[in-house]
């Protein structure tokens, strides 16, 4: 029953067997599945209402749904909604592009932007979208030459060498191909993902922020939600329909596949599928790591970001120019800040730490006499005890020292001064320097502080005096020095210790991953195993469903224009909608998008998603587009670490709200004409 010295082939078999074995049951909606292995889930999906086949979702030889999906600039997802390369993603995913075309004179963030012809579509520097051509298990090739006597570092070097070769071979097979080899299940498996990458991607449309970011950071990560979080782009290709650098001669890309839009509506209980690029989850962590996150890391990072946000918000309030300059930066700082708070609460509420400890105790008991697993938990605990103080220093290096803008800018040899100063307001940065350096001094224990930091601080006598000198116009060289010296100290003294512990942890996790799967199987457990997110394409499925966030409260799953009008308030920046939307509401001018006297705006469902799933297509049982994913509910943000089917919900824009806005607010009928809309 239990193989003691598993060769890696049997380890691989083990994982595959577990997946196959699991498909005999009906499951809760946890999981983000590999498209190429979706056959293992398809029976469960179909039992929940899905009408298509595994081949419809992912196929190497025929066009499939995956061909209409892109990784949007590496951090979001986007999908093709016309056969002329029109793409929809979130407003917040296109935010920095919209911002970069904005100025006080033509402020597309404030007023929105609609290209009324192809000639008006705006090219973007540094924007790329990637289509997945295929993915493939390459575990054998990646581990060719592996010998169990190797150290983790030697193994890593071998993996890198073999992976580079696999990438090179894959990329040589066509124009614009980029490949990535990455581990799954902590290196028990490796896959190659091959993408076709397009870099001429133009801005086509975006609603005003008062719609696209309606509710701002107040409503962010929350339900009920009323954000029109979408923007439109178009992919351009060379005359051969292949990727090409920007040129006025490029033509709209003819996609292999585009989504039909289902505008006939959704209701509670409907099947939903989210197909996109979740960034990073950690579902198989030890309790020690979860405890560090909830008790130390998150609280400190939240405190540091609160300081930054207070300063930025204060200055943005005073000056519209500063508001534009810091709009994108502020949203980024605020986003994780708020998520971490929800995540902590969720971890505590679910008793995730205690539950993991309980499992670890049982696992330890079970592992006695099994050389592969025996003693694992104690080893983890010892390593985490050593890691914790170092990880804490790393958090402060990143969130305090390196968060001061001028420092990293000054130290960057490839300075783009125009780009930097366009969005830089020195009084903000100076106050942030004072606040964060003061916190660093207070919270990081002396033994881990860079000597340069300690010496300079004592030379000036106070952080304020240090700031006065540093923020003189002449002080770029000094700023560079602060960055270089503190990071050098960190990189030479702290990081190597962290890396070496992480190497040991990586090896333990690889074993523990197999152990958890085997334990579950042997004990007839109900846990499902799917690889942690790693910015690769995944399928999550579930259904439209409300939830109860707290005692005596129940949230229904669909929001509408009525809610926007209830929140509308010209005095509050985040809730001040455009007059035109008020007028449309007053006239009930909803056109064909009217449903029960209103217009649907957003909905929630039980799909397991994460950061990176922003912009992902939300599909119905027939694979047609019903929504665009953009968020999760606050009570469920711990799903990156532990999933609770009762409260974990993704939030999607109802596609009909986007269509209504394109039609009635923008008057961009030509865009609707490109789409295939089923009503
Ligand atoms: N929470 C969403 C995500 O993680 C939206 C973020 C952008 N919106 C904002 N108000 N900051 O990306
Ligand atoms: N807004 C997130 C993103 O940018 C998606 C929300 C989430 O983390 O689930 O990817």
């Amino acid at each position: 029953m239990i193989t003691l010295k598993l060769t890696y082939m049997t380890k691989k078999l083990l994982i595959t067997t577990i997946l196959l074995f699991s498909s005999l049951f009906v499951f809760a909606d946890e999981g983000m599945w590999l498209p190429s292995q979706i056959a293992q889930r398809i029976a469960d999906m179909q039992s929940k209402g899905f009408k298509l086949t595994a081949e419809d979702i992912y196929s190497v030889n025929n066009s499939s749904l995956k061909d209409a999906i892109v990784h949007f600039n590496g951090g979001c997802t986007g999908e093709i909604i016309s056969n002329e390369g029109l793409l929809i993603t979130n407003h917040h995913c296109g935010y920095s592009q919209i911002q970069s075309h904005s100025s006080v004179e033509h402020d597309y963030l404030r007023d929105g932007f609609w290209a009324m012809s192809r000639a008006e579509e705006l090219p973007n520097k540094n924007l790329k979208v990637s289509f997945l051509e295929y993915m493939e298990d390459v575990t054998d090739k990646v581990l060719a030459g592996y010998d169990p006597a190797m150290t983790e570092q030697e193994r890593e070097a071998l993996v890198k060498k073999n992976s580079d070769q696999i990438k090179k071979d894959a990329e040589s097979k066509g124009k614009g191909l980029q490949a990535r080899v990455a581990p799954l299940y902590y290196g028990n498996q490796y896959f190659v993902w091959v993408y076709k990458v397009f870099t001429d991607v133009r801005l086509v449309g975006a609603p005003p922020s008062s719609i696209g970011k309606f509710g701002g950071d107040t409503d962010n990560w929350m339900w009920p939600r009323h954000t029109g979080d979408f923007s439109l782009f178009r992919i351009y290709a060379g005359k051969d329909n292949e990727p090409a650098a920007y040129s006025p001669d490029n033509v709209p890309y003819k996609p292999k596949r585009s989504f039909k839009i289902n505008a006939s509506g959704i209701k509670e209980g409907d099947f939903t599928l989210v197909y996109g690029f979740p960034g990073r989850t950690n579902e198989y962590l030890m309790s020690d790591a979860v405890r560090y996150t909830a008790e130390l890391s998150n609280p400190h990072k939240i405190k540091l970001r609160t300081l930054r946000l207070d300063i930025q918000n204060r200055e943005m309030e005073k000056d519209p120019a500063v508001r534009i300059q810091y709009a994108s930066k502020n949203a980024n700082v605020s986003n994780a800040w708020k998520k971490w708070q929800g995540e902590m609460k969720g971890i505590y509420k679910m008793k995730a730490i205690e539950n993991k400890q309980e499992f670890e105790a049982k696992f330890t008991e079970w592992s006695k006499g099994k050389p592969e697993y025996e003693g694992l938990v104690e080893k983890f605990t010892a390593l985490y005890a050593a890691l914790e103080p170092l990880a804490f220093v790393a958090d402060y290096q990143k969130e305090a020292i390196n968060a001061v803008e001028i420092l990293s800018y000054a130290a960057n040899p490839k300075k783009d001064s125009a780009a930097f100063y366009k969005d830089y307001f020195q009084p903000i940065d100076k106050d942030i320097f004072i606040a964060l350096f003061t916190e660093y001094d207070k919270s990081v224990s002396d033994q881990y502080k860079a000597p340069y930091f300690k010496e300079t601080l004592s030379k000036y006598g106070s952080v304020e005096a240090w700031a006065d000198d540093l923020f003189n116009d002449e002080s770029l060289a000094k700023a560079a020095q602060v960055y270089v010296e503190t990071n050098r100290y960190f990189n030479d003294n702290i990081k190597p210790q962290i890396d070496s512990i992480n190497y040991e942890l990586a090896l333990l996790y690889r074993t523990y991953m197999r152990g958890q799967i085997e334990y579950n199987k042997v004990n007839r457990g109900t846990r499902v195993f799917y690889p942690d997110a790693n910015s690769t394409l995944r399928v999550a499925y579930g259904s439209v469903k409300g939830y109860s966030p707290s005692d005596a409260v129940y949230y229904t799953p669909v929001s509408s224009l009525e809610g926007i009008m209830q929140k509308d308030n010209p005095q509050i920046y985040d809730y001040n909608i455009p007059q035109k939307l008020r007028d449309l509401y007053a006239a009930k001018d909803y056109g064909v998008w009217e449903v029960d006297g209103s217009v649907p705006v957003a909905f929630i469902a039980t799909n397991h998603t994460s950061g990176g799933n922003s912009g992902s297509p939300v599909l119905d049982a027939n694979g047609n587009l019903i929504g665009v994913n953009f968020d999760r509910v606050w009570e469920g943000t711990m799903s990156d670490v532990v999933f609770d089917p009762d409260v974990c919900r993704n939030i999607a824009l109802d596609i009909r709200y986007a269509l209504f806005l394109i039609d009635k607010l923008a008057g961009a009928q030509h865009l609707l004409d490109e789409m295939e809309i089923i009503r």
Side-chain angles (χ1 to χ4, degrees), residues 519-533:
Y519 176 95
N520 187 66
K521 181 181 173 190
V522 171
N523 294 289
R524 303 187 159 272
T526 52
R527 177 139 202 213
V528 289
F529 294 92
Y530 49 91
D532 272 323

Side-chain angles (χ1 to χ4, degrees), residues 143-160:
L143 292 180
Y146 175 65
D147 169 353
M150 283 177 173
T151 65
E152 191 61 17
Q153 279 91 330
E154 289 165 341
R155 184 184 188 274
E156 192 82 333
L158 175 78
V159 164
K160 175 153 192 329

Side-chain angles (χ1 to χ4, degrees), residues 477-668:
K478 278 185 198 157
Q481 200 184 7
V482 178
Y483 186 89
V484 169
E485 293 290 343
T486 56
N487 279 286
R488 189 191 354 256
Y489 176 79
F490 177 80
N491 289 329
D492 291 352
N493 297 281
I494 312 287
K495 189 160 177 297
Q497 297 183 61
I498 295 179
D499 289 347
S500 110
I501 296 173
N502 277 335
Y503 271 126
E504 292 186 61
L505 284 173
L507 179 59
L508 294 188
Y509 269 118
R510 193 172 312 127
T511 310
Y512 185 51
M513 186 73 235
R514 292 193 303 275
Q516 292 180 71
I517 293 175
E518 194 173 325
Y519 176 95
N520 187 66
K521 181 181 173 190
V522 171
N523 294 289
R524 303 187 159 272
T526 52
R527 177 139 202 213
V528 289
F529 294 92
Y530 49 91
D532 272 323
N534 61 349
S535 294
T536 61
L537 192 57
R538 300 297 174 93
V539 173
Y541 59 94
S543 60
V544 177
K545 197 172 177 187
Y547 75 107
S548 169
S550 57
D551 185 39
V553 181
Y554 186 79
Y555 288 147
T556 56
V558 184
S559 68
S560 76
L561 196 51
E562 303 314 301
I564 296 183
M565 299 316 296
Q566 288 162 8
K567 287 178 180 173
D568 178 32
N569 183 341
Q571 307 308 320
I572 303 176
Y573 184 84
D574 284 342
Y575 297 115
N576 182 13
I577 60 170
Q579 187 54 39
K580 186 154 182 196
L581 188 56
R582 288 187 194 114
D583 296 343
L584 289 168
Y585 179 79
K588 297 275 171 283
D589 184 4
Y590 304 151
V592 297
W593 314 111
E594 189 240 283
V595 178
D596 298 333
S598 191
V599 179
V601 168
F603 63 90
I604 52 174
T606 60
N607 304 280
H608 190 180
T609 55
S610 188
N613 269 123
S614 273
S616 298
V618 183
L619 306 175
D620 67 9
N622 295 306
N624 297 323
L625 191 69
I626 49 174
V628 181
N629 190 71
F630 70 94
D631 214 354
R632 268 176 291 170
V633 304
W634 208 52
E635 297 81 5
T637 46
M638 72 301 190
S639 65
D640 291 346
V641 181
V642 32
F643 188 90
D644 179 354
D646 288 341
V647 294
C648 288
R649 299 288 180 270
N650 64 307
I651 307 180
L653 169 79
D654 191 310
I655 196 67
R656 293 170 296 174
Y657 184 46
L659 299 174
F660 160 74
L661 292 169
I662 294 169
D663 181 1
K664 291 289 176 178
L665 188 91

Side-chain angles (χ1 to χ4, degrees), residues 265-367:
I266 44 123
K267 56 179 188 321
E268 181 138 29
D270 283 355
F271 178 90
T272 55
L273 183 155
V274 176
Y275 205 168
F277 289 86
R280 210 169 109 104
T281 59
N282 289 291
E283 310 287 348
Y284 309 104
L285 284 184
M286 296 294 297
S287 60
D288 301 287
V290 179
R291 191 180 39 71
Y292 175 69
T293 301
E295 289 178 4
L296 270 165
S297 184
N298 282 11
H300 280 268
K301 292 190 299 191
I302 290 163
K303 180 182 68 182
L304 291 168
R305 288 198 175 201
T306 304
L307 293 167
R308 279 159 86 185
L309 288 166
D310 286 349
I311 294 165
Q312 291 180 355
N313 289 334
R314 186 190 70 211
E315 298 299 322
M316 289 167 76
E317 208 66 46
K318 287 194 223 160
D319 183 350
V322 175
R323 181 178 283 286
I324 296 176
Q325 285 182 315
Y326 277 75
S328 186
K329 292 176 192 173
N330 188 268
N332 283 336
V333 176
S334 154
N335 195 41
W337 167 81
K338 191 160 181 186
K339 187 204 150 181
W340 290 329
Q341 299 176 47
E343 184 175 71
M344 275 167 66
K345 280 186 86 158
I347 287 172
Y348 287 131
K349 184 157 177 236
M350 271 192 85
K351 300 203 183 317
I353 301 165
E354 294 85 338
N355 291 341
K356 281 189 183 260
Q357 282 167 342
E358 211 172 285
F359 173 78
E360 286 155 15
K362 284 194 223 151
F363 183 87
T364 300
E365 200 46 46
W366 172 78
S367 70

